[in-house]
Every structure is written in C-alpha cells, then in structure tokens.
C-alpha cells in the first residue's frame, strides 16, 4: 500500500508488482488473540476469520494503482470519447465488485463500525472505507463541471457521492473514542473531498445540497485544524521530494538576507530525491535528476561556497534510499569520491533498505564505518551525520566514526502527542534495544529517549535529535521556544526544517536568538543532562504530563539551567543549587552550592516581532542590513561565539533578573508546555578570584 501511495505522491519507482503470489495476511482479530502455544489449525480454520481488513485494503490498493495509472493516461494521452468512458466504466465496475463481494459484517454501516471499534479496530475499519471513497472521488473527479462524454453528469454525481461518504466516515471516526484517524493522508483526502463540496456550493441549484455542502465544509475545516500538526510531518519537514536547484538557491539567499548565516546557520542540506530515477549511470556513478538540477551538483556547491555557506547531501547505507533511489551500500568508495568531486561538506547518511545488516552494534558499526573510511580517503573534510534512528546502541559507537548520530525515529510537529508510528512509544524511552524507531516522534518523546545518554555527546560528535520543527505551525510559540532551547542546550545539530521563504516572524525570533544559540556553540561542547523528572503532574489531552530540569556546565564556569513544564497546567517550579550541581558532587557536596549566582533569562532579549516582520518584508539587502544594524543583532561571522563569550558580549548572556544565594534555590513560574531557560553566573566577592573550569579538547571537526 505504501508503495502505491508513495510512488504516486513523490514520483519514485514502484517496487511491488500489481499482482503477487504472496498470501494475504491473517485476519486481525484471530491474530490479536494468538498466544505462544497457537497451532496452525488455528490459522487455517476459516471459522476464526472475522475481519479481513488488511486483506481488503490490499485488494482495494490494487484498484488504486489502476486508477492512478488511468488518470495519468487521461492527462498524457488526452483521453476522451469512447477510450475515456471505457476506462471509467471498467474501473467503476472494479470498485463495485469489490464492495458487493464484502460479507454483511464488513459493510459500511454505523453498527459495523461500532463492532470493530469496540474490538480496537475502529481506525482500520475507517481507513478501509476512506480508501474506497477516496479512490472513487479520485476516479470521477475530472467530470466535475465537464462534458467530455455523454455520461459526464453521472460520473460527476458519483464523485460527489464518494466525497460525501468519505466525510461521513471521518466524522464517525472522530466521534468514536479510540478510532480517530489522525495521520497526514487523511488531511490530504479530506481537502480533496472539500473541493468537491466547494463545487457543489458554487454550481448546484439545489438548496438542500448547498446547505449540506456548507455544513461539511465547516466540519472539514475544524478537522483539518486538528490534523494540522501532522500535515507535513512525513515530508522531511517542509519539502520531502520537492527539491530542486531553485529551492537550494532561494533558501541560501534567505539564510543570508535574514542574517542567519551570521548566527551560525552555515549548511544547506539537500535531502533525498535528488537522483535520476533511472539510477546510476553506465559507469556505476550516482547521477542527479537533470530536470531538478540542470547545472549539475558541483555548480551548487560552487554557488553555496561563494555565499560563505557549506553544502550537505544525502545518501543511505542501504540498497536504496528511503525514497527508493540508489543507495550507497557496497558502493561507498565510488559514492564518497562523487561527493568529494561535487564539493560536498556534509553527508547525511540514512539507514533504509539495509539488506538485513543490522541487529547488533558490531554489524551496524561495520556497515557505517565503510562510508566513514571512504570519506576520509577522499582527502576532503566531509562531516558525517549518521541517521540510523538510534538502532543498535549507536550512542555507544557513533562518536568513533561520525560527527553526529540520530537517536530516535523521525520527529514531527508535536510537543507531547504519542503516536503508534513512533516505534517503541510504549517502551521505556531510554531502552537501547528499541528497533524500528519509525516516525511521528514528539519533542517530549525524543527528550526522554536521549536523557539516559545525553552525556555521550562530546566535542566533534553529538547526539542528533533530528531537525527543528520551529515555524511549521503545529506547536504553540512557547512549545517552539522550549523545543529550540533544549535542542541547543543538548548540542543537537540545529538543522532548520521549515520553509525559510514563508517563515512567520514569530519563528524567526526564536531561531535567531543569539543567547540560546550560544548554548549550542559553547566551547566546552558538552550537553546539558537531566537532573530531575517528575511525572506526578496534570496530564494533557493525550495523557502526557511531566516536568523536567536540565542543567549543564559551560566553558566560562557558567551553568545552563532549563525548567521544562510539560504538564497540562501552569506551575511554579523550583530546584535547589544542590540538585543543579549534582554532577559535581551529590547531596550538596559540590563547592558550587556555596556560591551566589546571578540569574540571566536567555529569552528576555528576544527580537521584537515587529523587527522580525520588518526584516521579512524588507525589499533589499541594504534594507535588511540596516534593520539588523539598528537592532544591534549579533554577528558570529565577525565575532565567533567563543570570542564573544570570552569578551562578555551582553547579547549572549540574556538579561539579569535576580540572584540565587548560596545554598538557595532557583524559582520561576513556568507556563504549561513551556520552558524557562537560564544562565547562572557566579558572583565573585571583592578580592576573590574565580576561574571557570577549563577542559582542553581538540575539536573533532573532521573524520
């Protein structure tokens, strides 16, 4: 099913044939009731078959494949007349035969839906009929307002019928607890169904139909707002496979014009789907899709380097990439040489289609090390970002062959919502035995996953918590602030995952805060660690709720402290100096507890939103430069963070808001789903000398 949907959505090659000799899967209810001592008779006994939902989905999916191919033919061959009607009739008949072949208990009725929902299969039953009605509206959509054949009106009516029934299935699922269909494809097909309602609203002469269409549009809009956090979560944040030379150039221009390069955002990374769909050339070399990159890939690196930026690319340690283009497994030397020839500065190296070379740390280490060695052998300094989602305890070996390593499945635009697609969601988050980490992982899940081994990050090699979701629209401003600050303090690579060309001002004022970025760029290079977690707090609508305190030592002797409130209510949070400095000595034995500390709020000097709006609206580079100069915004290109911190540049230290006296506690009110971010600065008494602990480390900026 994924093969058909994905190949249609992002135009990648199909893998599965239309017809297959593989047996249909066992039915859901007997499967869910299996025990360790089941026998083959249990499977083969037809009386146990009650709900073949997956089987019916597979059958429907084969019809979808034909619908997609037919619609493509309609466009490419300009089908009309008999050829068009013959194709429509044939596929309409296929859909009708499928529906009529269903047993009574599988029909789309409220009673059947309730029966499946009561047994935990409401979402699957809803998904089955969402597919059926969507394929019907997809097949007949072209006849809305058209008269290409004599029976166009009939097929237009079929489209409206399927769209209306699709809406009803969505409404029913949301009205049934535990059966809500909350995933991106639902938003996609509901938007299509909504356009059918708009057509009725605009062109129907039937007042009853108009009232119904208006009512559906209102309900659909409410549901789409609920689905908004998941709308683009599977598309590598903002773009997915919609990549091109133009996208890279317009993005790099925005990085410069908004002053982001001068804050440290100096890599532009081209993710999956850049390759030619025909695979490698006759010499076995990777080749770009020339319709997307007409001037080749070396020209891109030349352009980016000319702007003072660096160039990142993507491949996978597998037979194929995640979007099913050619992978680098067993082609590491050739591909590393290609990357070097193209002027690549960083490689994001995924783990899809790994051909079974997974299961122990040694197996995964060996698979990824081949590319690490190949990159070093090119003589070019190419950073390596491992993307194996935390599998095979990568936190124990990633630092020896790479510069960063992913520690969970893919992030999505949600602060706390758990999702079954995020593998291991029901396990202890720190359990390194988690396999198939998946996607749709919330900010809170990722924080809990990294907490047990946050200290494994070292200068030159850091845990990668995945791309930033700031500006995507699925979280609140406070949630985005917490997300950004924690990623920075945990020393995760700060990859912007939003579309910089349409970024809201509020998002810009989060990602351009130099006082927060300075935590990421602190010369000490070590992550904050979690010193407290409390789950006995009010839960949100997803049953999630907790508070956390993260703290960490900084190069000049300062201490970063983050009070995270992921509870469902505002709280007054408090933590003692004894707890904050536990890593330096338990039970208050750390000497730091006996000092006074000035408290600096690192969000206090956030860029005013009005200034950000002016920056985004500016028409020229001169205007933007003037706005940044007037705002006295930090420029790390002119003054690197290490130098600015050493010189005490006030823009990197936030605003002093109070003092914690020796032996005391840090206290602050924290809103629900928000974080307060502080830098504690030692107050030295007259005549007293205080020198921050210094740890000399050689930055591991190459492999």
């Amino acid at each position: 099913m994924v093969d058909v949907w994905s190949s249609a959505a992002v135009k990648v090659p199909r893998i599965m044939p239309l017809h297959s000799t593989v047996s249909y899967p066992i039915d859901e209810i007997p499967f869910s009731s299996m025990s360790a001592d089941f026998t083959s008779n249990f499977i083969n006994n037809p009386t146990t078959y009650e709900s073949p939902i997956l089987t019916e989905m597979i059958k429907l999916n084969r019809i979808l494949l034909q619908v997609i191919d037919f619609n493509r033919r309609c466009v490419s061959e300009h089908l009309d007349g008999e050829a068009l009607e013959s194709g429509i009739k044939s596929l309409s008949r296929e859909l009708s035969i499928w529906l009529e072949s269903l047993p009574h208990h599988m029909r789309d009725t409220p009673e059947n839906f309730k029966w499946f929902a009561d047994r935990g299969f409401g979402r699957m039953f809803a998904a089955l009929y969402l597919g059926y009605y969507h394929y019907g509206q997809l097949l007949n959509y072209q006849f809305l307002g058209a008269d290409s054949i004599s029976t166009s009106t009939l097929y237009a009516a079929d489209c409206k019928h399927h769209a209306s029934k699709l809406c009803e299935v969505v409404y029913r699922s949301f009205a049934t607890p535990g059966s809500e269909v909350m995933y991106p494809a639902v938003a996609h097909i509901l938007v299509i169904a909504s356009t059918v309602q708009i057509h009725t609203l605009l062109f129907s002469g039937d007042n009853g139909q108009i009232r119904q269409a208006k009512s559906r549009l209102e309900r659909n809009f409410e549901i789409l707002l609920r689905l908004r956090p998941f709308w683009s979560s599977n598309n590598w944040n903002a773009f997915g496979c919609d990549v091109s030379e133009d996208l890279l150039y317009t993005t790099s221009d925005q990085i410069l014009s908004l002053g982001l390069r001068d804050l440290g955002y100096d890599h532009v990374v081209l993710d999956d789907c850049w390759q030619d769909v025909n695979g490698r050339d006759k010499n076995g070399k990777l080749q770009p899709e020339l319709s997307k990159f007409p001037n080749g890939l070396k020209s891109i690196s030349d352009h980016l380097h000319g702007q003072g930026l660096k160039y990142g690319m993507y491949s996978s340690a597998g037979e194929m990439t995640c979007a099913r283009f050619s992978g680098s497994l067993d082609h590491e030397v050739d591909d590393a040489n290609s990357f070097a020839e193209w002027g690549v500065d960083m490689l994001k190296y995924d783990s899809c289609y790994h051909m079974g070379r997974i299961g122990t740390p040694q197996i995964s280490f060996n698979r990824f090390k081949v590319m690490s060695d190949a990159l070093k052998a090119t003589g070019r300094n190419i950073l390596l970002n491992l993307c194996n989602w935390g599998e095979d305890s990568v936190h124990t070996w990633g630092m020896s062959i790479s510069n960063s390593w992913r520690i969970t499945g893919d992030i999505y635009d949600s602060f706390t919502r758990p999702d079954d697609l995020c593998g291991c969601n029901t396990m202890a988050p720190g359990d390194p035995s988690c396999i198939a980490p998946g996607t749709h992982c919330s900010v809170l899940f990722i924080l809990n996953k990294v907490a047990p081994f946050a200290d494994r990050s070292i200068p030159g090699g850091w845990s990668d918590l995945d791309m930033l979701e700031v500006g995507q629209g699925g979280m609140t401003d406070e949630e985005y602030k917490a997300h950004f600050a924690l990623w920075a303090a945990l020393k995760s690579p700060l990859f912007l995952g939003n579309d910089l060309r349409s970024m809201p001002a509020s998002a810009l004022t989060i990602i351009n805060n130099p006082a927060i970025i300075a935590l990421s760029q602190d010369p000490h290079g070590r992550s904050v660690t979690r010193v407290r977690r409390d789950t006995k707090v009010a839960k949100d609508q997803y049953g999630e709720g907790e508070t956390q305190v993260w703290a960490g030592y900084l190069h000049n002797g300062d201490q970063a402290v983050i009070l995270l409130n992921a509870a469902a209510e505002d709280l007054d949070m408090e933590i003692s100096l004894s707890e904050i400095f536990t890593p330096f000595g338990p039970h208050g034995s750390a000497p730091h507890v006996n000092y006074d500390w000035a408290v600096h709020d690192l969000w206090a000097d956030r860029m005013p939103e009005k200034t950000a709006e002016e920056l985004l609206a500016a028409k020229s580079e001169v205007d933007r430069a003037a706005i940044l100069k007037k705002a006295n915004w930090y420029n790390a290109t002119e003054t690197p963070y290490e130098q600015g911190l050493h010189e005490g540049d006030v823009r990197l230290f936030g605003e002093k808001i109070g003092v914690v006296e020796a032996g005391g506690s840090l206290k602050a009110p924290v809103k629900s789903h928000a974080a307060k971010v502080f830098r504690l600065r030692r107050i030295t008494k007259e005549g007293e000398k205080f020198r921050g602990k210094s740890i000399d480390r050689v930055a591991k900026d190459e492999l």
Side-chain angles (χ1 to χ4, degrees), residues 119-342:
R119 287 156 180 79
F121 296 103
R123 285 194 183 97
M124 290 183 66
F125 189 77
L128 175 67
Y129 277 97
L130 286 177
Y132 169 71
Y133 293 126
H134 175 55
Y135 306 160
Q137 73 176 3
L138 204 61
L139 176 63
N140 296 289
Y141 193 88
Q142 62 178 300
F143 296 102
L144 291 175
D147 57 358
S148 51
I149 56 178
S150 59
T151 51
S152 290
T153 303
L154 174 64
Y155 295 123
D158 281 348
C159 180
K160 293 179 180 180
H161 169 74
H162 279 85
S164 299
K165 296 292 287 185
L166 186 150
C167 293
E168 290 177 15
V169 172
V170 174
Y171 305 156
R172 193 183 302 151
S173 81
F174 275 87
T176 307
S179 299
E180 304 91 339
V181 282
M182 300 281 284
Y183 46 90
V186 177
H188 169 73
I189 64 178
L190 194 59
V191 166
I192 296 175
S194 296
T195 64
V196 178
Q197 307 310 311
I198 291 173
H199 184 275
T200 299
L201 197 65
L202 295 176
F203 300 108
S204 175
D206 187 315
N207 288 332
Q209 290 183 359
I210 291 174
R211 282 194 299 271
Q212 287 182 328
K214 183 178 179 181
S215 174
R216 291 189 187 108
L217 282 170
E218 291 173 347
R219 294 186 69 177
N220 291 358
F221 182 73
E222 293 174 358
I223 291 172
L224 286 169
L225 287 178
R226 293 179 64 181
L227 290 167
R228 186 174 64 173
F230 323 114
W231 183 243
S232 64
S233 57
N234 271 353
N235 293 327
W236 305 301
N237 292 41
F239 302 107
C241 275
D242 188 16
V243 295
S244 66
E245 178 182 286
D246 179 69
L247 170 64
L248 295 181
Y249 289 171
T250 54
T251 298
S252 69
D253 289 345
Q254 278 293 87
I255 290 174
L256 265 64
S257 64
L258 297 178
L260 295 176
R261 181 200 62 183
D262 294 331
L263 285 168
Y265 297 100
D266 59 358
H267 281 72
V268 178
V269 182
L270 173 60
D271 214 294
D272 207 345
C273 304
W274 57 267
Q275 292 186 45
D276 190 309
V277 295
N278 296 313
R280 297 174 182 272
D281 65 17
K282 62 182 180 181
N283 297 316
K285 298 285 189 179
L286 294 174
Q287 53 184 340
E289 173 58 61
L290 292 180
S291 65
K292 296 180 177 181
F293 306 98
N295 298 302
L297 298 177
K298 181 62 167 64
S299 66
I300 293 175
S301 69
D302 290 342
H303 180 89
L304 295 177
H305 292 156
Q307 293 179 308
L309 298 169
K310 297 178 182 178
Y311 179 32
M313 283 196 67
Y314 168 96
S315 189
S316 178
E319 180 187 29
M320 295 182 289
T321 69
C322 294
R324 300 200 298 270
F325 291 89
S326 297
S328 292
L329 187 63
D330 299 329
H331 295 271
E332 290 86 355
V333 173
D334 279 346
D335 293 356
N337 287 331
S338 292
F339 297 140
E341 291 167 7
W342 292 332

Side-chain angles (χ1 to χ4, degrees), residues 531-532 549 551 561 563 573-582 587-588 593 660-661 663-667 680:
V531 295
R532 185 204 288 173
V549 179
V561 181
L563 308 180
M573 295 184 66
E574 177 179 352
I575 186 165
S576 66
L577 292 178
S578 175
E579 287 182 273
I580 290 173
F581 291 105
T582 293
H587 311 301
V593 176
V660 177
E661 295 181 349
S665 297
L666 175 63
K667 304 175 183 179
L680 303 189

Side-chain angles (χ1 to χ4, degrees), residues 17 27 62 79 88 90 99 146 153 182 193 211 292 336 368 394 417 437 486 494 506 554 637 661 673 687:
D27 299 346
R62 290 171 178 167
L79 293 185
I88 289 289
S90 175
L99 185 64
T153 303
M182 300 281 284
R211 282 194 299 271
K292 296 180 177 181
F368 283 100
V394 65
R417 181 184 182 274
L486 282 156
L494 299 180
S506 59
L554 300 172
T637 303
E661 295 181 349
H673 284 204

